[in-house]
Structure formats: structure tokens, C-alpha cells
Amino acid sequence: MRVVHIIPNLRRGGAERLSIDICSKLTKLSGMQVILVALNDLIEYPELLQKVPYKIIPSKFIPSITGRVTDCTEELFSFLRQFKPHVIHSHLFEAEMVSRSKLFPEVKYFSHCHNNMEQFEPLNLKTFLSKKRITNFYEKMLLTRQYIKCNNHFIAISSHTQNFFKRNLPETLRNNIHLLHNAIEFDQFCLNSIKQHGLDLVNIGTFNENKNQRFLIDVLVELHNRGYSRASITFCGSGSTFSDVVSYAEKKGVLHAANFLGIVANLKDVLSEKNIYVHAAKSEALGLTLLEAMAAGLPVVTLDGGGNRDLIEQGKNGWMIYKEDVEQFADAILKIANNENLYHQMSSYAVEFARQFDMNIYVQKLVQLYKDA
């Protein structure tokens, strides 16, 4: 079977990392010929790409209501005609637009729904009050037409995302929406050792308004105000709000207890030194970092981001807080950290819970979806 995965770029992010991991596993299966295509040369995972067949083909397709279409896809489609894929598997909206701008009748198409794409929001009054929303609606209309033509299949990474697309895709496509939770390289994170309880917290992710790291600084302040001065939090990642969060920690007087490591190559080393994983994203399609932390034996305390509801079993592998409440969040952390027996039970359960999301299991399910299609 010949499979092409197409993604806009290979910057650091969950969708990008997953596409590389999937291709890495698929190439090891007998009878599979796989290549990963990036539509521009932004690459931030050079160390992971050494064992993955990949190709950079600069491509762009931007439709226009006025008829001024930008179509720079000739090189991509020339490559696809030569490669003759059985499956084209696309990631993220830009890759959707490019890869579906022309269709091959013999190819099976899969769209990886890493999030609730804003372009698929339902039509309402606000649509006509915003140029961006009008553009989104127009692109959705064109793309949906192509989806119907090719009998497109969709991979939803959480129940939340699956329900979103069931609501917003035509009825003829709804049976093609498959729930397949994203996966991790379990063995890369599993420590095979007993974790110790404590208040060394850790958060991993891009710094932006949605990831909401400022909220975690407020949680740290709350813990200190309650007398837990030993509490600390380590942040791994960078992004647009990084400097703002650092300044906020300084302003709140907890900079000495907040460690900002930037982008970290080996997250397992960081997770091995921490006790609890904390996550404050306002919206989360699934949350691979939660699974990676669980695999390392860390119970999780998280805000409700929608998709991460599939990952939390209350009081067993973590706690989900359903509103942005600093006190409730701190309560959950202390409930875990101050009870050694509970901590060890949750730590052990977290590891076994994460094991079922191993990439080897995932790829077998994915290949079966390809074959069924």
C-alpha cells in the first residue's frame, strides 16, 4: 500500500509530531510505502526526520470569492501522479485545501481532524459580519463539495471533535467519521520506576493565550499563599506569550519557583523529576502531553478543554476542573500531593491508562481503516 501524508509544515506542535511518528511506524510495516510531504520548509524536528521518508514540496491553494485563485500545486500533483498513492492522508486545514483542490478517482482520502476547524463552524448571523468568517464559510463550501466527490474519510482524535464534525458535515459523510485517539511512543516516556509524591509541577506546551499559562502562575501563587512555599512549576515550551508569563510570575512574586526551560528535546528527563502534570488550556482537541505525562507516572490536573475529557478518569489518573477556578485547581493538586497512598495509586493507574495509547496499537488501527476504505 502506498500512502502519502501531507502537512503544511513541520514546526513544533502536536499534529506535526504525530504525523512524523505515524510515518515512522508505517514505514516499518511490511508492504507499506510511505512518504511525508510538507508544503513549506519550516522544519523544527530535524532529529526525528532522519528515519522518515519526507519531501518538501512548496504548495499553496487559496480560493477566492472574487475569482482570483492562488494555485501553486503543479509540483505536488506531478509528484502524486508519479507516486500513485492508494491513500492521501492530510493534516490541518491548509493541507486540506491543497490536497483536495484536485482529486484522483482511485485514491482514498483521509482528513486528520486535529481540532474543531473554525472553517467548519455553522452558518449564523455573525458569519456575515466578519470578512474572515465569510472566507471560512466559502472555503468550507468548496471543500465540502470535494469531500462528497471523493467520499472523504475523517479521523477524529476525540469524542468532542467527532461530535463537532458530525454536526457540521453533510449527512452523507457522517458514517465516514472515525474516532481514533492520537497516540504516543509509550516506551519513550515510561520510566518503569515508582514516582514520589510532592509539589514539583510541570507543564508542557506552546505559550499562547489558549494554553493559558498565566492561570498556572495564579495557581502557584495560591499554593504559596496556603503555606506550601516548596511548590514549584516547570514550564517547557516557547511562544508568543512566553515573555508575558515570565513577567507575570515576577510581578506575582513567584519567579523563583517558576522554571522556564524553553523548548526541551528530551521531555522524559524533565518528567522523571516532577510529581504532577498541570494543564490549563481553554480549548484542547485531545492533549498528547497529558498522555506523555501519564506514561511517565504523573497524575494530571487539568482544566476542561473539551477533547481532553476522553483522557481523565476523575480521581483515578487525575482531576478535571470544569471551570477556571484557581482554588479548585489548587485543591485538586493538594489532594494528590498530600496523600502518599492516593498518589501512588493514581501514578500506577496513569501509566496503565497511557499504555493503551501506544503508537504501535494506533498504527494497526489506522492501517485497518485504510484497508476498510
Side-chain angles (χ1 to χ4, degrees), residues 3 17 25 63 140 144-145 214 258 264-265 273:
V3 181
R17 173 65 186 266
K25 290 293 183 183
K140 171 189 174 181
T144 300
R145 187 183 306 158
R214 279 174 66 111
V264 176
E273 300 171 350

Side-chain angles (χ1 to χ4, degrees), residues 248-292:
Y248 189 65
E250 185 174 20
K251 176 183 175 182
K252 289 292 187 176
V254 292
L255 185 58
H256 65 286
N259 307 309
F260 296 90
L261 301 184
I263 294 173
V264 176
N266 193 344
L267 291 171
K268 182 177 181 179
D269 291 343
V270 177
L271 293 171
S272 69
E273 300 171 350
K274 307 305 173 187
N275 313 118
I276 298 172
Y277 183 78
V278 290
H279 200 75
K282 299 174 184 178
S283 174
E284 190 67 77
L286 182 70
L288 284 178
T289 56
L290 278 69
L291 287 172
E292 291 167 350

Side-chain angles (χ1 to χ4, degrees), residues 24-40:
S24 176
K25 290 293 183 183
L26 287 175
T27 57
K28 297 174 184 176
L29 298 180
S30 176
M32 297 293 295
Q33 187 178 354
V34 182
I35 189 162
L36 176 61
V37 174
L39 303 181
N40 70 53

Side-chain angles (χ1 to χ4, degrees), residues 36 89 94 126 135 140 151-152 156-157 223 260 292 330 351:
L36 176 61
H89 186 148
E94 183 183 344
K126 291 181 180 179
T135 300
K140 171 189 174 181
N151 193 31
N152 202 86
I157 68 171
L223 292 171
F260 296 90
E292 291 167 350
V351 173

